[in-house]
């Protein structure tokens, strides 16, 4: 044994002696014939319990290091995700710029015959509105007035040629891009909180390792955690109190991801079409023979721009396609096709971006669950970094109170009567004194006695362990 360890052990024994001198030991015993513990016995029980707790501390430090390994692997995956997301965003923005250029060129060609186009448009708009409301009213019980007002507002903000451009409008794609930016920032902020939390737990745990002179080995990531995705509640906090675990950062976001094209389905050809043998919960407005699809009442109420599908029913709307602008027909030339191609590309990359965000949410939800599992089992050790830095023992058995069975006068004690429980008061780390009950069949002289007391004290400590930041 080194001189430093010898001095440390002598200091610990002296500290335990001081602790036990102020407490009275109740002289009774759990099993007949066993002498009650003396002050020196209490010191030895404390030392044995301290050795057991040191092993638990080392095990917890190892667990925190595994936790750190999981986070480091997640960081590598996170960087690859950022690279892919940035590439997709760049492709989406490039396609949008191309679409904007094509749209500008179409508008320039339209300006040559602006008066003719405007006249047709002013006659097209009321026809579209009346036709949509008529079909809607035949099938849907309520909401026709709302649909008419909403459509009128949409048409007043729409250019004549845009009703014949297949695909999402540029402003809709730009709006979705802004929403994606907000969601990405939200995800990144939550990821940073999680990474900082793990770093904090790891850093404090390494301080504890240094204090107890323990050098933890390098760990692998255990495979059995790979599929563990069930929610676990954290027992301690590095952020706020109460802290509901890393998974709570991402749980509210799960299931909230949306496909923004869903709100515009009535303009696309992806509407739900019921089978002949099945019924839909929502009535369907059929736009045939002039239209090329069908829409539910809910879809039209939600987005009255779906009424643009009725454009073929209005002659003045159809005439817009064939307006001759000084020998050019904007909607019959290559610009329209190029614009639609650019819009289709922008839509595809927008959907791909949404898919990446959703995948990242799922990965973080699962990773946070694994981190919560580690934190629940091992994170308590980091709270010891804030304990008083001294060489005193971490575990003090203060009193051992044995209960004798009570018997009436003249009544003999049954030979196989179970021994009474033993009450023990202990102090662990910097926590208040705890009162623990030990089963009577485990005498204080049994080495298992100190382990039972130490483990129970540790379990209680874990329930309230909070790191003060």
């Amino acid at each position: 044994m080194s001189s430093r360890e010898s001095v440390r052990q002598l200091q610990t024994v002296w500290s335990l002696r001081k602790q036990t001198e102020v407490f009275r030991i109740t002289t009774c015993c759990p099993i007949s014939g066993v002498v009650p513990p003396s002050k020196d016995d209490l010191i030895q029980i404390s030392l044995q319990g301290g050795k057991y707790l040191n092993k638990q501390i080392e095990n917890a430090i190892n667990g925190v290091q595994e936790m750190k390994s999981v986070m480091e692997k997640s960081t590598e995956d996170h960087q690859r995700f950022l690279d892919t997301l940035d590439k997709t965003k760049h492709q989406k923005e490039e396609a949008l710029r191309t679409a904007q250029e094509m749209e500008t060129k179409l508008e320039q060609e339209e300006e040559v015959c602006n008066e003719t186009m405007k006249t047709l448009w002013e006659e097209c708009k009321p026809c579209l509105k009346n036709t949509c409301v008529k079909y809607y009213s035949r099938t849907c019980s309520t909401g026709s007035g709302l649909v008419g007002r909403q459509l009128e507002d949409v048409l007043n903000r729409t250019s004549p040629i845009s009703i014949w451009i297949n695909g999402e409008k540029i402003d809709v794609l730009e709006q979705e891009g802004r929403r994606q930016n907000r969601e990405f920032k939200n995800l990144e902020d939550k990821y940073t909180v999680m990474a900082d939390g793990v770093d904090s737990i790891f850093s404090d745990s390494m301080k504890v390792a240094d204090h107890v002179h323990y050098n933890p080995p390098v760990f692998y990531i255990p495979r059995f955690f790979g599929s563990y995705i069930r929610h676990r509640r954290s027992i301690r906090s590095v952020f706020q109190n109460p802290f509901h675990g890393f998974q709570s950062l991402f749980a509210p976001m799960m299931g909230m991801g949306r496909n923004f094209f869903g709100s515009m389905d009535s303009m696309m050809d992806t509407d739900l079409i019921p089978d002949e043998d099945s019924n839909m919960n929502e009535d369907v407005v059929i736009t045939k023979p002039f239209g090329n699809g069908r829409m539910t009442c809910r879809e039209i109420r939600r987005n009255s721009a779906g009424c643009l599908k009725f454009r073929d029913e209005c002659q003045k709307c159809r005439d817009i396609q064939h307006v001759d602008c000084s020998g050019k027909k904007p909607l019959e030339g290559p610009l329209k096709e190029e614009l639609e191609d650019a819009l289709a590309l922008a839509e595809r990359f927008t959907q791909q971006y949404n898919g990446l965000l959703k995948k990242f949410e799922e990965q973080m939800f699962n990773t946070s669950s694994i981190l919560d599992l580690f934190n629940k089992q091992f994170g308590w050790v980091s709270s010891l970094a804030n304990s008083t830095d001294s060489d005193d023992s971490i575990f003090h058995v203060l009193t051992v109170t044995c209960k004798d069975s009570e018997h009436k006068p003249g009544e003999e004690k049954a030979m196989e009567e179970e021994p009474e429980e033993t009450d023990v008061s202990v102090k662990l780390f910097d926590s208040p004194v705890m009162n623990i009950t030990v089963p009577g069949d485990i005498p204080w002289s049994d080495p298992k006695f100190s382990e039972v007391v130490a483990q129970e004290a540790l379990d209680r400590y874990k329930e309230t362990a909070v790191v003060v930041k």
Side-chain angles (χ1 to χ4, degrees):
M1 179 183 298
S2 66
S3 59
R4 179 176 179 177
E5 290 176 342
S6 299
V7 171
R8 182 182 177 88
Q9 186 172 17
L10 287 173
Q11 289 175 328
T12 299
V13 172
W14 175 247
S15 173
L16 289 170
R17 286 185 180 276
K18 290 190 295 181
Q19 290 280 345
T20 55
E21 283 175 358
V22 297
F23 291 92
R24 184 174 65 87
I25 306 171
T26 303
T27 56
C28 54
C29 52
I31 297 179
S32 180
V34 178
V35 178
S38 64
K39 292 180 180 179
D40 288 338
D41 291 330
L42 290 182
I43 292 174
Q44 290 304 313
I45 294 174
S46 298
L47 289 173
Q48 291 299 318
K51 291 180 181 179
Y52 174 81
L53 288 171
N54 279 333
K55 293 180 181 178
Q56 301 307 306
I57 290 174
E58 292 177 2
N59 182 56
I61 292 172
N62 294 342
V64 169
Q65 185 146 324
E66 292 187 57
M67 180 182 182
K68 176 66 172 177
S69 298
V70 171
M71 193 66 223
E72 288 177 349
K73 176 62 169 61
S74 172
T75 301
E76 296 173 2
D77 294 338
H78 179 242
Q79 186 56 53
R80 286 193 290 269
F81 155 78
L82 291 179
D83 294 340
T84 303
L85 203 62
D86 186 64
K87 179 180 178 181
T88 303
K89 182 179 180 180
H90 176 75
Q91 293 171 319
K92 177 189 66 173
E93 291 174 345
E94 185 64 32
L96 267 178
R97 280 193 292 270
T98 301
Q100 288 169 334
E101 292 175 3
M102 296 301 103
E103 186 177 59
T104 300
K105 291 180 180 179
L106 271 176
E107 291 173 350
Q108 289 174 349
E109 290 189 1
E110 177 193 343
E111 288 178 358
V112 178
C113 50
N114 186 54
E115 290 301 319
T116 303
M117 194 76 75
K118 184 177 180 181
T119 299
L120 290 173
W121 182 230
E122 290 304 318
E123 295 183 57
C124 167
K125 289 191 291 184
C127 179
L128 269 177
K129 175 184 174 181
N130 294 334
T131 302
C132 183
V133 171
K134 179 182 67 175
Y135 274 86
Y136 181 89
S137 301
R138 287 178 182 175
T139 307
C140 310
S141 56
T142 60
S144 58
L146 174 63
V147 169
R149 291 191 297 273
Q150 289 178 338
L151 178 59
E152 188 173 348
D153 182 62
V154 169
L155 295 177
N156 288 335
R157 293 183 285 104
T158 302
S159 67
I161 63 173
S162 65
I163 67 171
W164 293 105
I165 301 298
N166 295 319
E168 292 292 349
K169 293 182 180 180
I170 291 177
D171 61 337
V172 173
L173 292 168
E174 289 176 334
Q175 180 181 354
E176 174 62 8
R178 290 190 290 272
R179 187 201 67 80
Q180 288 177 335
N181 290 338
R182 290 192 299 270
E183 183 176 346
F184 170 73
K185 184 179 184 304
N186 189 25
L187 275 172
E188 278 294 278
D189 290 345
K190 291 176 180 292
Y191 181 86
T192 300
V193 170
M194 183 171 70
D196 289 347
V198 173
D199 285 343
S200 176
I201 294 171
F202 178 77
S203 176
D204 285 349
S205 298
M206 292 305 102
K207 291 178 183 178
V208 176
D210 182 65
H211 182 67
V212 298
H213 311 292
Y214 176 64
N215 295 318
V218 178
F219 283 90
Y220 66 96
I221 300 175
R223 292 183 178 180
F224 71 88
F225 281 119
S227 60
Y228 187 89
I229 60 174
R230 201 181 74 179
H231 176 70
R232 292 296 186 112
R233 181 180 176 87
S234 176
I235 58 171
R236 57 175 296 280
S237 171
V238 294
F239 315 104
Q240 59 183 357
N241 185 29
F243 172 62
H244 298 289
F246 294 111
Q247 197 176 62
S248 65
L249 294 170
F250 300 94
M253 304 182 68
M254 296 303 295
M256 293 179 63
R258 64 184 180 91
N259 181 348
F260 87 107
F261 298 102
S263 63
M264 299 292 287
D265 275 345
S266 55
M267 295 181 63
M268 312 287 283
D269 291 330
T270 57
D271 300 315
L272 292 175
I273 301 177
D275 296 329
E276 293 181 359
D277 298 330
S278 63
N279 296 318
M280 290 185 65
N281 294 329
E282 186 72 38
D283 292 330
V284 176
V285 179
I286 300 178
T287 63
K288 293 178 180 180
F290 300 101
N292 61 352
R294 36 180 103 187
M295 301 170 289
T296 67
C297 296
R298 183 185 297 112
E299 286 171 336
I300 297 178
R301 286 195 300 270
R302 184 177 58 200
N303 180 39
S304 58
C307 290
L308 297 180
K309 279 190 173 182
F310 292 100
R311 62 197 175 189
D312 282 309
E313 288 213 33
C314 299
Q315 181 62 47
K316 297 300 181 181
C317 297
R318 295 200 303 272
D319 289 344
I320 291 175
Q321 295 183 90
H322 311 296
V323 173
D324 190 336
C325 301
S326 299
K328 292 183 179 181
K329 296 183 178 181
L331 292 174
E332 294 182 6
L335 287 179
K336 176 178 181 292
E337 183 178 351
E338 291 177 22
L339 173 56
E340 290 176 342
D341 289 344
L343 286 173
L345 199 59
E347 289 173 18
R348 181 164 67 85
F349 286 127
T350 298
Q351 289 176 321
Q352 184 176 334
Y353 193 96
N354 277 335
L356 288 170
L357 288 178
K358 182 179 180 181
K359 182 178 180 181
F360 179 62
E361 287 180 25
E362 293 172 349
Q363 288 179 342
M364 290 306 97
F365 185 78
N366 293 342
T367 299
S368 63
S369 175
I370 298 172
L371 295 176
D372 276 345
L373 177 61
F374 276 113
N375 191 30
K376 181 177 177 63
Q377 188 170 358
F378 307 116
W380 60 269
V381 73
S382 62
S383 67
L384 301 182
N386 296 294
S387 299
T388 303
D389 186 11
S390 69
D391 289 326
D392 291 348
S393 173
I394 60 176
F395 181 67
H396 301 274
V397 176
L398 306 175
T399 65
V400 175
T401 306
C402 314
K403 300 178 182 177
D404 286 332
S405 301
E406 294 184 359
H407 301 279
K408 296 180 181 180
E411 183 180 28
E412 295 184 1
K413 185 177 180 180
M415 293 183 63
E416 297 184 1
E417 179 180 323
E418 293 186 1
E420 293 295 325
E421 296 174 336
T422 304
D423 293 332
V424 184
S425 62
V426 300
K427 194 174 188 307
L428 177 63
F429 306 130
D430 56 356
S431 66
V433 174
M434 306 178 193
N435 295 315
I436 295 173
T437 300
V438 180
D441 59 349
I442 305 177
W444 65 264
S445 56
D446 188 333
K448 185 179 178 181
F449 183 88
S450 60
E451 295 184 7
V452 171
V453 175
Q455 184 61 56
E456 176 63 24
L458 180 59
D459 290 342
R460 294 189 190 181
Y461 180 83
K462 290 179 182 179
E463 294 175 0
T464 57
V466 175
V467 174
V468 179
K469 293 295 181 186

